[in-house]
Amino acid sequence: MDWGMKNRMSKIIKPDGKTVMLAVDHGYFMGPTTGLENIAETVGPLLPHADVLMPTRGALRHYIPADTDVPIVLRVSGGTSILNPDVLHEGIVCSIDDAVRLNVAGIAFSILVGSSFERDTILGFTEMVDEANGLGIPTLAVTAVGRDMVRDARYMSLASRMAAELGASVVKTYYVDGFEKVVDTCPVPVVIAGGKKTPEDEALETAYNAMQAGAVGVDMGRNIFQSEDPVAMIQAVNSVVHDDHTPKEAFELFTKLKG
Ligand code: 5RP
């Protein structure tokens, strides 16, 4: 791995080998989703507790101060909205040149393994991997689960391993029972998305279980910025990822910090 790629990876996955990524890229297909009505207001108090921020280029330019020192993993795939039955039928929506212009530490691209349009998403992903690799920029593959996919370890293992074999530097997927198999059969670091908002104690348990199964961290959005207290929640997530807190300890921390 070239020095530049190693340097950028060290910004994404911290010296303890773990990471808490804050995903705020939802607007590229969900618009002003709850909690992201004004990304500047939402993200400002959370940034000091995030290892990485994952926005779109528009969110970065319009909402995030340019003097931010939190590393950026930029969402570069898209092309459909939540109104489209083929939502997440994604292609390249941001050039590598613009990602470089934005001084990102990495790029993020969704592949929809198992969908009727999987090939389109995979070819777009590998095109961006080639461009990014040429510039020493890591690619995070988001193995987004299509609407009618069975969320099980077999599927997540397939999608995650494909992403890694096709060139991903990091894979983001969803926690499922038997997650050890997903991690053990994926040759690159794995982080989990938080998925739809769930009660804080459940989200913290999911993060804990993923870490116990070998994930290096989370790339969490809704379960942080839609929490009743996002700043308390991201600190509780950090306690699970970086301080090996149990779900109970982390929820106690959340409860103490909230409000
Ligand atoms: C949407 C994404 C989001 O970044 C991903 O879902 C993480 O956010 P959340 O924790 O809210 O699921 O990739 O396609």
Side-chain angles (χ1 to χ4, degrees):
M1 192 187 296
D2 177 66
W3 189 91
M5 180 74 90
K6 285 179 185 172
N7 179 260
R8 290 185 180 91
M9 281 294 286
S10 74
K11 297 179 191 299
I12 296 169
I13 298 175
K14 300 309 177 185
D16 67 352
K18 315 279 181 63
T19 188
V20 172
M21 301 175 68
L22 176 60
V24 294
D25 60 324
H26 306 62
Y28 82 97
F29 76 109
M30 297 172 84
T33 193
T34 305
L36 295 184
E37 295 84 350
N38 181 316
I39 296 178
E41 289 174 4
T42 301
V43 167
L46 295 172
L47 271 183
H49 307 287
D51 293 321
V52 175
L53 184 68
M54 181 168 146
T56 60
R57 62 177 170 180
L60 199 51
R61 287 191 164 108
H62 297 300
Y63 292 112
I64 307 301
D67 61 358
T68 295
D69 58 6
V70 175
I72 302 297
V73 170
L74 191 73
R75 160 68 61 179
V76 297
S77 70
T80 55
S81 76
I82 48 174
L83 300 180
N84 187 322
D86 283 345
V87 64
L88 300 179
H89 182 170
E90 302 195 352
I92 299 168
V93 294
C94 176
S95 69
I96 198 69
D97 289 348
D98 211 24
V100 169
R101 197 172 293 121
L102 289 163
N103 195 30
V104 303
I107 60 172
F109 198 110
S110 293
I111 62 172
L112 267 286
V113 173
S115 66
S116 58
F117 45 80
E118 65 178 2
R119 185 174 186 274
D120 290 349
T121 65
I122 289 169
L123 294 186
F125 166 69
T126 51
E127 187 177 336
M128 283 304 280
V129 168
D130 287 336
E131 302 249 12
N133 278 355
L135 295 164
I137 298 174
T139 302
L140 169 80
V142 182
T143 57
V145 179
R147 279 189 171 138
D148 51 1
M149 298 300 163
V150 175
R151 286 188 175 214
D152 61 15
R154 185 162 177 269
Y155 172 78
M156 299 301 182
S157 299
L158 168 67
S160 300
R161 177 60 172 269
M162 282 179 65
E165 298 249 12
L166 290 161
S169 302
V170 182
V171 169
K172 171 163 84 169
T173 189
Y174 292 78
Y175 178 78
V176 290
D177 291 341
F179 198 67
E180 292 80 356
K181 178 187 176 196
V182 180
V183 174
D184 294 345
T185 56
C186 184
V188 300
V190 177
V191 298
I192 63 154
K196 288 190 173 74
K197 176 74 177 70
T198 56
E200 281 79 359
D201 57 348
E202 289 179 24
L204 291 167
E205 184 163 8
T206 298
Y208 176 81
N209 290 341
M211 298 304 293
Q212 295 303 304
V216 299
V218 301
D219 183 10
M220 194 177 274
R222 288 162 289 180
N223 277 285
I224 291 175
F225 61 72
Q226 291 178 354
S227 168
E228 63 176 294
D229 189 321
V231 175
M233 185 58 178
I234 196 169
Q235 294 180 79
V237 171
N238 267 289
S239 76
V240 168
V241 172
H242 288 294
D243 303 327
D244 298 323
H245 277 199
T246 64
K248 181 175 181 296
E249 291 167 332
F251 188 65
E252 284 169 356
L253 175 64
F254 169 76
T255 305
K256 187 179 80 175
L257 293 173
K258 79 177 178 179

